[in-house]
Amino acid sequence: MGCTPSIHVNQTGLVICRESEDSNSHIASYSAAYHTRVVKSDGTTETSSGVAVTSLDKQSAFKELVPLTLKQGNESLNIEAQTQTSIRIEMKSTNNEVSLGPMKLKQKTMSILLVFAKEDAQSDGFWWAADKIGYKCYIAHNPETAMENYLDKHPDVVIIDHRNSKHFDAEALCRSLRATESSEHTVIVAVTKRYALDKEEPSFLPSITAGFNKRIVESPNISMCMNELLTLEYGEVQSRLKLSACKAVFSALDNVSDAVEISSEDLEVQYVNHAFERLTGYSSEEVLGKNSSEIVKNDRNRPDLNDTINSQLKKGKYWDGIYHTRRKSGEILPSHCHICPVLGQGGKISHVISIKNSTTDTSHILKESTEFNLVNGRLSRQSSGLHGVPRRKESIARIHSMTIEAPITKVINIINAAQESSPITVVQALDKVLEILRTSELYSPYFAQQNMKDNDPMTSDLVSGLVSNVKRSLTPSYLSDVNSNSSGKQGSDLQSRRPSHHSHLHIPSPVTSSLSQVPDHIQEILDKDYTWEFNVIELEKVTNKRPLLYLGLKTLTRFGICDFFQVEESVIANWLKLVEGRYHSTNTYHNSTHAADVMHASAYFLERERNKAVFDQMDEIACLIAAIVHDLDHPGRTNAFLVNEKNQLAILYNDQAVLENHHSALAFQLTWKDDSVNIFKNLETDDYKILRQNIIDMVLATEMKQHFQHLNKFINSINKGCLKMDETSSMSGNGSPDSTMMLNQLSAPENKTFIKRILIKCADVANPCRPLDVCKEWGKRIAEEYFLQTDEEKARGLPVVMPVFDRKSIRIPKSQLSFIDVFINEMFESFDDYCDIPELISHLQTNYQYWKERDEESSEKSEQENLPNGTTEDDT
């Protein structure tokens, strides 16, 4: 007599029976033929001899392979009978037809993924149970393989060994599976320990929270395993098949032209489709959970109409007729309406369905004549309306037919609807509005370049140079008579002077690593950092061009960065040293002093009361980090220059926000290279992702090309809300519910993003709002950096991006006035309306007046000397 065969299941799903040397030869031959099999995705079974056996011819195949009866002791097992039973179950399970109302669904053969670290009687039990019924079965021994198989095979059921956490965390694996898109259609089952009756069993609630649908108490009995699997197929798996079909039904409803509303027996709205939103003007979020009759209530319907409808519904009958619907705008529209009940348990009404025809018949208002015309080579159907103006409603290209609506689409739909009954003059005006709305950049202003050039060529060139990557001519028309020759040697020197994005400056190690080590003469200047009058230029001088380290360490400490990042102060200091070392001290403007200045302005703005109410600590830290790195490794040249010279960074970033992408990318690369400078190393993964996204978004916002888009979004989304908040606060106090609600709206993620973008943009170009002496110094520095770029462009034969910055013809006061007029005034006025910064506005007005007087003096002197564009030493 041989020993009972032992079963082994390897990772690929291959089932092997091992026998002892003295095992019965019949058993061995049976094992080789029957037990060694691989379940394939196509439902076939491959024997060890390589012969594929389908479920239809298994019975004849197995009859030939198993002609014997095994006897063990007094027990007798007829294998042929078991095989026939298995085949009958399998053939039945592959033809399941499921009904969902009138829908007929076909349930495919169920597939199972077993996740067991080690093979034991329980895993074998499920494997053989699946084999007998005819299910597809796969097995994995670790979370990685399980996830790989899950994403590849998409099993209906995943059975995870939850009896022991020694090998892997079953709940963590379940959460990982649930994080995938297709997991909503999967049943995940936990196999748990069997406890003695006198021992308290732990709660299964944490496992349910992790995503498990069911638990099975361990039992290797194959019959028990078969019953559990059959229960899953006809229960949970079948329910998920129906839910999947419901998803298809809802998708169909969202694509029909009629407005569909589903409500409870109490007329509480539970679902509306896209056509309902278009018809009524309400979004689904605004109507869900509200009483259906109250939403569209108006005095155009008969007083007893609702009673008539309810009477029909209670009888289980539908109601059909004209129903007037009140839109969100107050407009009342008649529509053909069909309302029917859905009967549930006990024959009682469970739901009420309302279907309104969204294409209203208005023939009683205006007779229409429909004709087909050939327009642009296409057959189009036009409907003539008032004054012979083509009606939009019947156009086959009408935008109402779109099933995926963006907010701008809804705006266009409203305008289209308004055109249908408007006079010809209004229709023509709205057509112009639609042309504007259909452009791709709604928030970017249109500059009338020709008019701007005729009236103010300097402003035109300044704007074009800062917001465009377009190549410019070597010499502008108004400077054509000025000699612009520069030596080739100078251009070559400039090119070699400008460091590549891999070079960096070394900061000597004796620099302070703690606030307690700051020298007194530096500390005296730092003590004024909380005021707007703080002079970063003075700090630059006393720190030997290392202001970012000292000011950064003090500012970041004030905002609790060490506690937030859970790192030592030395890590912050090391990081600041590293970052400051990658700013180019040879740049006259874009250097670490500018970074320190932007960080100081950002910190000052964060201390405003409204920002303190809107932002949390992560927002504050993100703003400060973004300010510190926003010009990291800046070469002292503009994006347009890099694009024109085909710089490797421009090629890398596809000419789009070249420097801004480089600044943010390099900041994270440097931070993660060395643990001693890695300020992010102790952050939770989710927190790091949010912080990183915020920093990148703010750095990218500093690109001047996107200036007007960000500003217009801020004005439309934030300023208008703040105006309402201020009015509410003045009338009912700061603690009123309306004021609190509006503050919560400002704190919404999207609105906080708009605010942070404008915050760093204002900090980046706050020079005209600084005290006059500081403003003048920054004006001189930026002009010199642009001079150097123009010199190099001419020396190398590159297009001149900003011809206005020619050191032989520049009028710095005029360039400052143009910059303030175009970019500064509106942005800072809007930011002042938001967070109240009157001291900045005061400095801005003073500085503007100063530059205006200097420009007038320069113009007068230029006229006296008969120079086209004269300048004086004071101007520079």
Side-chain angles (χ1 to χ4, degrees), residues 197-248:
L197 295 176
D198 58 344
K199 188 175 181 180
E200 186 174 350
E201 188 173 339
S203 172
F204 191 64
L205 182 59
S207 299
I208 295 175
T209 306
F212 283 101
N213 302 108
K214 178 183 174 65
R215 70 156 190 162
I216 297 176
V217 178
E218 63 179 343
S219 174
N221 184 279
I222 295 180
S223 297
M224 187 282 296
C225 293
M226 290 176 64
N227 290 332
E228 291 289 356
L229 295 181
L230 289 170
T231 302
L232 287 171
E233 179 185 14
Y234 289 92
E236 296 277 353
V237 174
Q238 201 169 93
S239 297
R240 271 161 173 71
L241 178 64
K242 294 179 180 180
L243 288 175
S244 179
C246 289
K247 192 173 181 179

Side-chain angles (χ1 to χ4, degrees), residues 390-403:
R391 300 271 296 176
R392 269 73 177 168
K393 177 176 289 187
E394 301 298 331
S395 171
I396 60 173
R398 187 177 180 181
I399 201 166
H400 278 249
S401 63
M402 293 182 63
T403 57

Side-chain angles (χ1 to χ4, degrees), residues 545-588:
K545 295 189 177 181
R546 292 193 294 269
L548 184 57
L549 170 63
Y550 292 96
L551 183 61
L553 195 57
K554 187 172 189 297
T555 303
L556 294 176
T557 301
R558 174 154 56 98
F559 280 85
I561 193 169
C562 292
D563 291 337
F564 179 81
F565 283 131
Q566 299 179 7
V567 296
E568 299 294 331
E569 188 180 48
S570 60
V571 177
I572 304 298
N574 291 337
W575 182 77
L576 287 169
K577 292 177 194 176
L578 175 67
V579 170
E580 187 154 36
R582 292 305 291 254
Y583 275 94
H584 302 170
S585 62
T586 51
N587 291 345
T588 59

Side-chain angles (χ1 to χ4, degrees), residues 316-370:
K317 299 180 180 180
Y318 68 86
W319 179 87
D320 202 80
I322 299 298
Y323 192 92
H324 289 81
T325 301
R326 178 173 55 83
R327 305 185 78 245
K328 185 177 181 180
S329 62
E331 181 184 7
I332 299 176
L333 298 176
S335 57
H336 184 271
C337 185
H338 180 90
I339 303 176
C340 63
V342 176
L343 302 182
Q345 188 174 7
K348 297 181 179 179
I349 297 176
S350 61
H351 295 87
V352 175
I353 310 297
S354 171
I355 303 173
K356 295 184 178 72
N357 190 329
S358 58
T359 305
T360 307
D361 181 10
T362 57
S363 58
H364 63 289
I365 302 173
L366 180 68
K367 291 185 178 180
E368 298 181 319
S369 61
T370 303

Side-chain angles (χ1 to χ4, degrees), residues 329-539:
S329 62
E331 181 184 7
I332 299 176
L333 298 176
S335 57
H336 184 271
C337 185
H338 180 90
I339 303 176
C340 63
V342 176
L343 302 182
Q345 188 174 7
K348 297 181 179 179
I349 297 176
S350 61
H351 295 87
V352 175
I353 310 297
S354 171
I355 303 173
K356 295 184 178 72
N357 190 329
S358 58
T359 305
T360 307
D361 181 10
T362 57
S363 58
H364 63 289
I365 302 173
L366 180 68
K367 291 185 178 180
E368 298 181 319
S369 61
T370 303
E371 58 184 10
F372 289 89
N373 292 327
L374 192 65
V375 181
N376 295 329
R378 294 183 179 181
L379 192 66
S380 65
R381 183 170 179 253
Q382 292 184 335
S383 177
S384 300
L386 287 170
H387 312 292
V389 179
R391 300 271 296 176
R392 269 73 177 168
K393 177 176 289 187
E394 301 298 331
S395 171
I396 60 173
R398 187 177 180 181
I399 201 166
H400 278 249
S401 63
M402 293 182 63
T403 57
I404 303 177
E405 284 194 325
I408 190 64
T409 306
K410 294 183 179 181
V411 174
I412 293 174
N413 285 342
I414 293 172
I415 295 175
N416 278 326
Q419 285 182 309
E420 292 174 2
S421 57
S422 299
I424 181 63
T425 54
V426 175
V427 171
Q428 292 173 344
L430 291 178
D431 276 336
K432 294 181 180 179
V433 173
L434 289 173
E435 288 180 9
I436 296 172
L437 291 178
R438 289 187 176 113
T439 60
S440 59
E441 296 184 359
L442 293 177
Y443 287 95
S444 298
Y446 169 73
F447 294 105
Q449 294 291 349
Q450 186 60 42
N451 293 335
M452 187 181 288
K453 200 169 188 69
D454 292 340
N455 297 330
D456 189 354
M458 180 173 288
T459 300
S460 174
D461 281 318
L462 179 66
V463 171
S464 298
L466 291 177
V467 303
S468 174
N469 286 342
V470 178
K471 294 181 178 181
R472 304 300 306 274
S473 61
L474 292 178
T475 307
S477 57
Y478 68 94
L479 292 177
S480 58
D481 59 339
V482 178
N483 182 7
S484 59
N485 291 331
S486 301
S487 66
K489 183 177 184 303
Q490 182 186 17
S492 178
D493 290 343
L494 287 169
Q495 187 176 7
S496 60
R497 171 198 61 78
R498 188 160 37 88
S500 71
H501 68 282
H502 294 293
S503 64
H504 65 277
L505 302 177
H506 175 68
I507 294 183
S509 57
V511 178
T512 181
S513 294
S514 172
L515 287 175
S516 60
Q517 302 174 11
V518 176
D520 293 340
H521 66 289
I522 297 178
Q523 186 63 51
E524 184 179 351
I525 298 176
L526 290 176
D527 288 340
K528 302 175 185 177
D529 72 325
Y530 62 91
T531 68
W532 184 249
E533 282 67 30
F534 174 78
N535 192 336
V536 75
I537 305 297
E538 289 183 4
L539 184 64

Side-chain angles (χ1 to χ4, degrees), residues 581-599:
R582 292 305 291 254
Y583 275 94
H584 302 170
S585 62
T586 51
N587 291 345
T588 59
Y589 182 84
H590 289 101
N591 48 41
S592 67
T593 305
H594 170 63
D597 185 59
V598 176
M599 181 198 63

